[in-house]
């Protein structure tokens, strides 16, 4: 398999894993509270990252840790709880679709607030990613 085909395989596998997480959150809420489920997601993510990244921790400069902490707080810790809380009220497919709009919203906000220009590459990337997420989550909704 050549490099281009392998990239498509990675994209499809990543889409399946990503899309199934919203369904699994909804199913997990049957036996757990939103806080318990969010905590388990954080715990499993931390264990996985420690397994694959433990050797690289010493290579990170000390002045970069504050950025890593902020990014992990805003990008992983808080969303793990917010997604669990949201899915107590709405369907997992709606949650996935709203989350899938993140690249598009980033493009729009970047253009409005930072005067970023759209390029063909960014537009196509955002369109395909949003389409993949929407396609998967709408097929297996609750």
């Amino acid at each position: 398999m050549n490099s281009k085909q392998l990239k498509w395989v990675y994209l499809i596998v990543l889409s399946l894993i990503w899309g199934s997480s919203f369904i699994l959150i909804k199913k997990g809420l049957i036996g757990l509270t939103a806080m318990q489920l969010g905590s388990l997601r954080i715990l499993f993510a931390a264990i996985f990252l420690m397994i694959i990244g433990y050797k690289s921790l010493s290579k990170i400069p000390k002045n970069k840790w504050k950025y890593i902490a902020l990014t992990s707080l805003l990008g992983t810790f808080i969303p793990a709880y917010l997604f669990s809380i949201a899915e107590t009220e709405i369907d997992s497919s709606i949650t996935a679709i709203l989350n899938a709009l993140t690249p598009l919203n980033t493009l729009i906000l970047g253009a409005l607030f930072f005067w970023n220009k759209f390029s063909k590459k960014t537009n196509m990337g955002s369109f395909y990613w949003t389409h993949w997420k929407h396609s998967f989550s709408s097929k297996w909704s609750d």
Side-chain angles (χ1 to χ4, degrees), residues 17 21 33 41 72 92 94 107 115 124 140:
I17 292 169
S21 69
T33 67
R41 291 183 70 209
S72 62
S92 60
I94 300 296
L107 279 174
W115 302 97
M124 293 305 288
W140 289 288

Side-chain angles (χ1 to χ4, degrees), residues 18 22 83 93-109 125-135 137:
W18 179 89
F22 292 99
F83 282 126
S93 59
I94 300 296
T95 310
I97 291 168
L98 290 173
N99 189 39
L101 293 172
T102 302
L104 182 62
N105 291 334
T106 303
L107 279 174
I108 293 169
L109 290 174
S126 292
F127 171 76
Y128 283 126
W129 188 241
T130 302
H131 177 72
W132 270 97
K133 288 180 178 182
H134 174 66
S135 296
S137 61

